[in-house]
Amino acid sequence: YPCDQSNTITLSAVINAPLYSSCSPSLTMAGLTGSTSNSLSSLTLVAPLSNSSAVVWSQSAGQVSFGTNSLPGSSSDAYQTYLNLSFVVSNRAYAQSPPTIVLTLSHGTGVTWSQAPFGDFSPMNIMTPRIIAARSSQSSPYPCDTNMIVFELDSAVPFFAACSPRIVVTGLTGTVNDTTLNPNNQLKLQYTVPSSGLSSPVPWDLNAGIFSLNVTSNWGPSGAYPVASVAFHVLVRNPASPQAPPNVSVAVSYTTQGGSSGSSAETRAWVVPSGLTAPSNNGSLIRPVPVQLYDGDRYFVSDWRQTLYIRQPTLLSTLISQSSPMAGSQNDITLTFKANVELITLCRPRIILSNLIGACVDTDVLLSGGSAPQFSNVNKVSGRASFDAKNYALTMYASRYSSPNATDPLPDAMVLDQVPYIIRFRSVNPVQGQDAPQPYLQIALDGATANMPPPALVGEDMITVPTAAHVTYYPGDASALKVIAPTFDIRSIVQTNSMPGQSNSFLVTIQLNMDLPVNSVLTLSGFLANTPSDPNPTSRLDLAPSGSLALSDVPGLTPPVLSILSSVRDTAGSSGSTAGSGYFDRVLGRLSLYVTSTLTAGVPYAFKFTLLNPQCQMAPVVPCIRAGRIAAGSCYLGSVGRNLFTTEPVGVGDMTPLTVDGTKVGGARPGEELPLSVRQPYIMLALMQQSSALPCATNDLTFSFVTNVSLVPNLNHSLVFTGLLGARNGTSVAMPGGPVQLQVTATGPNIFAATASWNPASGVLVVPISITSSTTAGSTYGFKVTLTNPAAPQDCAMSVQMTITGMCFNSVTVGWPLSSSSDLDGQGSCVAPGFSSSDPTSGWTSVPTLVGGKCPLYVVNAAYFWTMARQSSFFPCDPSNTITIQLVSNVPLSFCSPNITLRGLAGTQTPASSAFPLTIQSGSGSVASSITGVWLNDTGSLILTAPAVPSSSCTPFVISFKVRNQKSRRSPAVVTVETSGFSGASIARAQAVNPYSSFVSPTNYDPLFVVAAAFPNKTVVQSTPWPGAANTLTVSLSTNVPLWVDCAVLVITNLEEACASQGSMPLTGTDAASFSWNGVAPGTGLWASAADPSGRSVQEGRLTLWPVGSAGSVCGTVNCIQTLSNWVFGFVVRNPMNPQYSPPVQIMADATQG
């Protein structure tokens, strides 16, 4: 057994020879593991081991050795030795399998023998601590009852106190604190087997449902395979709330190791069955409880003894009936029931009969019937109950008190399990009729916070027929609180106008099946303007203001009602009332009529009243009529319950003519006589178009619309257009400018205010309506406003929406155009003239139409359809090269007041200037204008600030100005033009201007093209070859370009060994006067001689000549030598003394300026 402190180990051995002490024999037994004995003092030696000093024990090795002195000397004979050894060890607290025992005998030589495990009594075989069976039960399933919980355990092994056995019960949840049963959070053990050895009282964790028992003495029968049984019970207080049996479990464990280990902790749990079973017989411990069949208990179990199963309190076999269904009469109500539990008085049980709608009883209700004395009211008075009029509930406490001043009820339960009870009480029926309500019956307990069954329907008496004089009743009339209702036999209403915002007369006819006495009030209700789409419900003008509302008689119908109805508010009585009128409550949508003379049953009465229709569409209402404040002797003011009016869903005979254009909007339609049936205002047609798609242009937006209903005065109608935004790349963009008032011009009947509000940023246009009489539904109305288009191109407004305020008009997408054509004439593109000349400044026209140009807010992309750049001179250094830029735009440039910048003209000899002269010409045949611009020579840019550009589309625009060409050859310039003021348009970006050569060959007149200067003819001859002779050198020259005096120098070089005086050199010949020395001495040149620059030992002579020009059409503002076929001049040098070949004489035009 685990933890047995007295496990006797017995060894019987026969040795086949005598043992002689002279050989120091010893015997070792090994394999005795699992003991908690750690020293010899823990052993008990049994004879013949009388000398324990020679015994050595090792707990860790599980080994005992018997030395020489411990072995008996008299147990041997001449042939063999007999050994019978016994000693006692303490078993450990948990199981182990039997080890193999090994004996070793030392007697000069060693002999070993081993014994294999052979069963439960093999040395150190320790059984598994195990509970064979665990049982639990309770004594009562009733809420709030004292409950005896019984536990029984059968163990396969005895309990040994040395290892501190502990029994832990968990899951015992749901109980409530009772200091009488469980003082100081402790449980008292009421019954135990064995009668001692269990700790008591027991610590108790009520919330967790846990308690534990310590076993303080050895417990269980001795011998092989005993069953150690333990039984104990505790008393707890059942909860008020029902519950399913919790998962109660029992755990058993040794908490210490025992033996020499003493109090060292042990944590291994015993094996315990997973579920607890109920004991087979609890004898006198269990109270008798009636057998319970399933009755709707959500926690129902077939064996109520399952621990802490708390039955759900339920009332069974319920039945309720009444004695009279007459409105306003006295009525005896009888209730029969029984319960499925005892109602323990500790929890103040009460039976609540609820939903007694219409019952009229006192707060303190007298009960009758045989069971009445067993119940009391809230004031502890027996034979009475308490009534809660607010909740229509009758409460009967299932307890009696010795007196109303007693604190606690008498202990005996007044309501027992499965016992029928009958009680009766009296009520007064209401005046208004009602179907029998569904009474509910339930049990309530103090402290029941969850899991209580909901109130259960009470069975109705559908068989008994009540009896009364002069009245015939039928089966079902005995249903409690069923009241046969007074009613209106006739109740009809029609309207006369379905147009929103217009006056509407209602014709009402009524007839009752009872006399309606004076001081009663007729209430017509349901006249609510239920228009959820109304954008501004707080400012509605519909129906009528709260206050007196005039009535009118219906001609031809008698009797007149003006003398028998008057206005009333809140309280009955004629004070402050107005005869022939009613009181209308706009918030509640009802008309109240005070009866000043009895309305006779069976007589029809008819009258009219007028309301203003809502501004929004409204589905017809179904008004109700009721008669209230009927004094009929009951405890309530009675009433004839609300009845729906009957209506006319088809006819239109009572409708008044409507203001409509009959060709487009029809008159009254079936269904429009239904009360407050208001037509849906909607915009039948909404169109618009624009007058210009040109950037920066004035643009007339013209709108027209048609509505299906009339617009009426005093509703502050406004047309609201949203989405008036252009679009770029699928995204809306704002129109230019800030909020402003726009002039409104009617294009037909004028129903508009003089100005409209325009917010370009949001694209919202609000046009107020200004009328003194209603418009005609179906007629077309139109107006226009004027905007300024943006400079940037944009697509049409993606979605312009229109609605009309003051009524709940739908929002519609505004279509375009107003007419069949969507195109604009003469906008957006240009037609080239088909020219053959090099200067196409005439013949340009706009395209006939701009497709889709009327689409609102569409602005064309401003672009140059034609560009050309040309020059007047391609000569190097020409100071008067006229650059001409020709531009043709598809839009009027003047609308956006642009600046024009020309770029790409770098490389000229033109000084920078902030007042650079130029001319412009707008249109064919117009006079060129002289203006100034800004010239930036370093970048070759010309800036024109707000020039007089064309004011019409496709008009040629010519810019001309002069520059001075550079001296060296160059390719044509790439000129670009940028035009500000058209942000985002093509015209605003740098655009290459087409060179002249794109239209006419060759490229000489492309801007800033300069030809290479050259000498087509260049000859020199001498007059004599004789050494030392005076030699006249005659030069014949021609150039392909003019030579401007401030720009060119001629140098004749490589006149080897020619001899002349340094300095002035006279010239001879026909054209000698065309050249000079530095421009100051015509007919002379500058002679210079110097060593040959290449290092040869010769002198190189050179003659430098400056042109002497004259003014001319070619020269412009600076004199020049114009191109000639030949220039001839001569000069005299002296030949060298030594012979030489003619050197290669060279000539060049050298730049000496800039």
Side-chain angles (χ1 to χ4, degrees):
Y1 298 132
C3 200
D4 192 337
Q5 305 297 295
S6 302
N7 185 7
T8 300
I9 305 299
T10 302
L11 171 64
S12 297
V14 179
I15 301 169
N16 66 346
L19 300 180
Y20 297 97
S21 59
S22 58
C23 288
S24 301
S26 65
L27 180 64
T28 299
M29 180 183 291
L32 299 173
T33 56
S35 171
T36 56
S37 301
N38 64 1
S39 65
L40 187 62
S41 61
S42 300
L43 298 173
T44 301
L45 299 179
V46 182
L49 302 180
S50 58
N51 185 358
S52 62
S53 62
V55 178
V56 178
W57 164 249
S58 172
Q59 178 190 0
S60 60
Q63 178 176 297
V64 61
S65 298
F66 302 93
T68 301
N69 294 331
S70 66
L71 294 176
S74 59
S75 297
S76 299
D77 57 24
Y79 304 105
Q80 52 192 5
T81 301
Y82 305 95
L83 294 179
N84 287 291
L85 308 179
S86 298
F87 53 90
V88 176
V89 297
S90 299
N91 288 349
R92 69 182 184 184
Y94 53 93
Q96 76 171 18
S97 299
T100 298
I101 305 301
V102 178
L103 296 178
T104 302
L105 176 63
S106 177
H107 188 255
T109 60
V111 178
T112 299
W113 175 86
S114 62
Q115 175 179 289
F118 59 86
D120 287 349
F121 293 95
S122 293
M124 300 313 296
N125 174 54
I126 300 176
M127 296 173 61
T128 299
R130 180 168 60 89
I131 300 299
I132 301 171
R135 297 176 291 275
S136 175
S137 66
Q138 65 179 0
S139 64
S140 171
Y142 298 145
C144 303
D145 204 357
T146 299
N147 195 356
M148 179 186 298
I149 308 297
V150 178
F151 294 93
E152 295 178 356
L153 305 176
D154 294 338
S155 175
V157 298
F159 293 80
F160 292 97
C163 289
S164 305
R166 178 175 297 165
I167 301 171
V168 178
V169 177
T170 60
L172 205 65
T173 55
T175 65
V176 296
N177 187 29
D178 188 322
T179 56
T180 301
L181 296 177
N182 315 119
N184 301 320
N185 294 322
Q186 292 182 325
L187 295 174
K188 298 177 181 179
L189 294 184
Q190 301 294 319
Y191 163 78
T192 64
V193 176
S195 59
S196 62
L198 294 178
S199 58
S200 181
V202 179
W204 167 234
D205 186 340
L206 180 140
N207 292 328
I210 298 174
F211 69 86
S212 60
L213 303 171
N214 293 323
V215 179
T216 58
S217 62
N218 292 348
W219 185 13
S222 60
Y225 310 114
V227 174
S229 296
V230 57
F232 56 90
H233 74 256
V234 295
L235 294 179
V236 296
R237 176 69 62 194
N238 283 348
S241 301
Q243 67 178 28
N247 185 19
V248 180
S249 61
V250 175
V252 180
S253 65
Y254 279 135
T255 61
T256 60
Q257 296 181 5
S260 300
S261 300
S263 61
S264 297
E266 173 57 48
T267 59
R268 295 171 181 82
W270 290 25
V271 177
V272 180
S274 59
L276 301 181
T277 60
S280 58
N281 182 16
N282 294 104
S284 61
L285 300 180
I286 303 302
R287 66 187 295 176
V289 173
V291 174
Q292 178 192 18
L293 300 177
Y294 177 72
D295 53 19
D297 182 356
R298 63 183 294 188
Y299 304 112
F300 175 80
V301 294
S302 59
D303 187 352
W304 59 265
R305 295 179 302 165
Q306 293 188 43
T307 304
L308 286 181
Y309 157 61
I310 308 302
R311 185 175 289 176
Q312 193 176 54
T314 304
L315 291 168
L316 311 172
S317 303
T318 60
L319 182 67
I320 192 169
S321 63
Q322 68 176 5
S323 63
S324 173
M326 175 71 71
S329 68
Q330 290 188 344
N331 188 7
D332 289 333
I333 297 176
T334 302
L335 176 67
T336 303
F337 65 88
K338 61 183 178 179
N340 70 336
V341 296
E342 284 187 13
L343 297 184
I344 308 302
T345 59
L346 184 66
C347 285
R348 297 183 71 233
R350 50 208 176 271
I351 295 173
I352 301 174
L353 178 62
S354 60
N355 207 39
L356 295 173
I357 298 174
C360 177
V361 296
D362 292 335
T363 303
D364 184 19
V365 183
L366 177 66
L367 302 179
S368 61
S371 305
Q374 294 170 266
F375 299 91
S376 61
N377 64 6
V378 69
N379 296 319
K380 306 177 184 178
V381 179
S382 298
R384 290 185 176 272
S386 297
F387 186 73
D388 180 355
K390 181 179 179 180
N391 296 306
Y392 307 106
L394 183 77
T395 301
M396 302 175 290
Y397 287 83
S399 56
R400 288 188 298 182
Y401 292 82
S402 58
S403 72
N405 297 324
T407 301
D408 298 319
L410 299 175
D412 295 338
M414 295 295 103
V415 174
L416 303 178
D417 192 351
Q418 306 293 335
V419 176
Y421 297 89
I422 300 175
I423 59 98
R424 186 175 295 109
F425 63 95
R426 177 163 292 177
S427 173
V428 177
N429 286 342
V431 173
Q432 66 269 22
Q434 65 178 31
D435 289 333
Q438 293 276 335
Y440 290 90
L441 200 60
Q442 71 180 120
I443 297 173
L445 303 172
D446 280 1
T449 59
N451 305 329
M452 291 294 285
L457 288 173
V458 183
E460 296 277 6
D461 186 347
M462 303 300 292
I463 299 175
T464 303
V465 178
T467 58
H470 312 298
V471 178
T472 301
Y473 295 123
Y474 300 94
D477 289 343
S479 299
L481 294 174
K482 174 183 177 181
V483 179
I484 298 175
T487 187
F488 292 89
D489 293 331
I490 297 175
R491 51 191 187 280
S492 68
I493 186 170
V494 295
Q495 71 173 10
T496 60
N497 193 333
S498 61
M499 282 292 188
Q502 298 189 7
S503 294
N504 187 5
S505 292
F506 295 84
L507 171 62
V508 178
T509 305
I510 59 173
Q511 176 180 304
L512 292 94
N513 68 346
M514 63 172 290
D515 285 342
L516 193 63
V518 174
N519 295 331
S520 300
V521 177
L522 287 171
T523 302
L524 287 67
S525 59
F527 298 97
L528 291 172
N530 181 21
T531 53
S533 60
D534 190 344
N536 194 11
T538 59
S539 64
R540 290 201 313 259
L541 302 176
D542 51 37
L543 302 184
S546 295
S548 182
L549 185 66
L551 306 179
S552 61
D553 287 324
V554 179
L557 291 180
T558 56
V561 301
L562 298 186
S563 61
I564 59 178
L565 297 177
S566 67
S567 62
V568 62
R569 184 177 183 184
D570 295 334
T571 58
S574 59
S575 176
S577 65
T578 303
S581 64
Y583 182 85
F584 184 72
D585 188 320
R586 181 176 183 270
V587 175
L588 299 177
R590 70 186 182 189
L591 176 64
S592 300
L593 306 171
Y594 180 73
V595 178
T596 58
S597 180
T598 300
L599 297 181
T600 304
V603 176
Y605 297 85
F607 58 92
K608 287 184 177 181
F609 62 92
T610 300
L611 299 175
L612 185 67
N613 279 343
Q615 294 99 295
C616 301
Q617 181 272 343
M618 184 170 161
V621 300
V622 184
C624 299
I625 185 169
R626 69 184 297 270
R629 297 177 181 171
I630 303 174
S634 66
C635 61
Y636 298 122
L637 280 175
S639 65
V640 178
R642 286 184 179 86
N643 285 264
L644 297 175
F645 274 104
T646 58
T647 57
E648 176 52 66
V650 177
V652 295
D654 294 300
M655 297 290 288
T656 58
L658 305 177
T659 304
V660 298
D661 181 343
T663 62
K664 297 180 180 178
V665 179
R669 297 189 290 263
E672 290 193 332
E673 280 194 356
L674 297 174
L676 287 180
S677 172
V678 181
R679 287 189 179 184
Q680 165 68 58
Y682 65 89
I683 300 168
M684 301 172 63
L685 180 67
L687 296 173
M688 69 177 296
Q689 68 183 33
Q690 68 177 6
S691 63
S692 176
L694 299 176
C696 302
T698 297
N699 188 4
D700 291 336
L701 295 183
T702 304
F703 300 82
S704 68
F705 67 95
V706 179
T707 61
N708 71 320
V709 299
S710 299
L711 304 182
V712 298
N714 303 321
L715 289 186
N716 298 320
H717 292 295
S718 288
L719 311 181
V720 180
F721 297 89
T722 59
L724 286 169
L725 301 166
R728 297 190 190 104
N729 300 320
T731 302
S732 295
V733 293
M735 294 290 286
V740 69
Q741 293 291 311
L742 301 178
Q743 186 73 27
V744 178
T745 302
T747 57
N750 190 3
I751 63 171
F752 309 100
T755 60
S757 298
W758 165 239
N759 188 328
S762 60
V764 176
L765 176 66
V766 180
V767 184
I769 299 295
S770 178
I771 52 177
T772 57
S773 61
S774 298
T775 64
T776 300
S779 292
T780 302
Y781 297 89
F783 67 95
K784 70 178 180 178
V785 294
T786 302
L787 309 178
T788 298
N789 284 341
Q794 61 185 29
D795 296 329
C796 306
M798 292 190 291
S799 177
V800 179
Q801 300 292 311
M802 175 188 176
T803 188
I804 304 177
T805 64
M807 289 183 183
C808 296
F809 278 96
N810 58 318
S811 178
V812 298
T813 299
V814 182
W816 66 279
L818 297 179
S819 60
S820 60
S821 173
S822 62
D823 303 334
L824 282 176
D825 293 335
Q827 294 187 16
S829 185
C830 300
V831 177
F835 58 88
S836 59
S837 67
S838 61
D839 293 315
T841 58
S842 63
W844 285 89
T845 59
S846 297
V847 293
T849 57
L850 174 61
V851 176
K854 293 181 181 179
C855 188
L857 304 185
Y858 168 48
V859 178
V860 299
N861 181 20
Y864 286 117
F865 270 59
W866 163 273
T867 61
M868 186 183 72
R870 64 169 294 174
Q871 66 181 3
S872 62
S873 172
F874 46 82
F875 296 141
C877 218
D878 190 336
S880 301
N881 184 10
T882 299
I883 304 297
T884 301
I885 306 296
Q886 296 177 349
L887 305 172
V888 177
S889 170
N890 65 328
V891 300
L893 295 178
S894 63
F895 287 177
C896 293
S897 301
N899 297 333
I900 298 177
T901 301
L902 300 173
R903 303 185 190 277
L905 295 168
T908 71
Q909 299 183 85
T910 309
S913 174
S914 60
F916 188 70
L918 54 98
T919 62
I920 57 173
Q921 180 183 1
S922 295
S924 174
S926 63
V927 178
S929 301
S930 296
I931 63 171
T932 60
V934 177
W935 172 258
L936 304 175
N937 189 51
D938 55 344
T939 60
S941 300
L942 177 60
I943 302 171
L944 284 67
T945 303
V949 292
S951 58
S952 59
S953 303
C954 304
T955 299
F957 177 54
V958 181
I959 305 169
S960 298
F961 53 93
K962 294 180 183 297
V963 297
R964 186 165 197 179
N965 289 344
Q966 71 180 42
K967 301 173 184 179
S968 58
R969 181 187 186 279
R970 63 165 290 173
S971 300
V974 178
V975 181
T976 62
V977 61
E978 299 173 20
T979 308
S980 67
F982 294 88
S983 175
S986 297
I987 202 171
R989 298 187 291 272
Q991 180 175 341
V993 179
N994 293 314
Y996 184 68
S997 60
S998 297
F999 309 99
V1000 179
S1001 297
T1003 64
N1004 292 14
Y1005 293 97
D1006 287 349
L1008 300 189
F1009 169 72
V1010 177
V1011 299
F1015 295 99
N1017 176 43
K1018 45 187 183 300
T1019 61
V1020 59
V1021 297
Q1022 65 181 2
S1023 61
T1024 178
W1026 308 125
N1031 189 2
T1032 298
L1033 300 180
T1034 300
V1035 178
S1036 178
L1037 293 176
S1038 66
T1039 63
N1040 66 335
V1041 297
L1043 299 180
W1044 275 270
V1045 298
D1046 61 348
C1047 199
V1049 177
L1050 301 181
V1051 182
I1052 301 173
T1053 63
N1054 210 30
L1055 296 168
E1056 292 182 6
E1057 298 299 331
C1059 183
S1061 298
Q1062 298 278 5
S1064 177
M1065 170 66 75
L1067 302 179
T1068 62
T1070 304
D1071 299 307
S1074 295
F1075 300 95
S1076 69
W1077 176 11
N1078 202 17
V1080 297
T1084 64
L1086 173 63
W1087 175 262
S1089 180
D1092 186 284
S1094 65
R1096 294 183 301 156
S1097 60
V1098 295
Q1099 289 292 312
E1100 179 185 297
R1102 68 169 54 196
L1103 178 64
T1104 303
L1105 304 173
W1106 281 262
V1108 178
S1110 60
S1113 60
V1114 174
C1115 297
T1117 59
V1118 180
N1119 290 347
C1120 71
I1121 299 177
Q1122 300 187 34
T1123 55
L1124 296 175
S1125 60
N1126 203 32
W1127 296 314
V1128 179
F1129 60 89
F1131 58 94
V1132 178
V1133 296
R1134 190 166 293 279
N1135 283 343
M1137 298 302 291
N1138 296 319
Q1140 63 178 20
Y1141 294 108
S1142 176
V1145 180
Q1146 298 177 340
I1147 186 171
M1148 68 178 184
D1150 188 19
T1152 61
Q1153 306 286 337

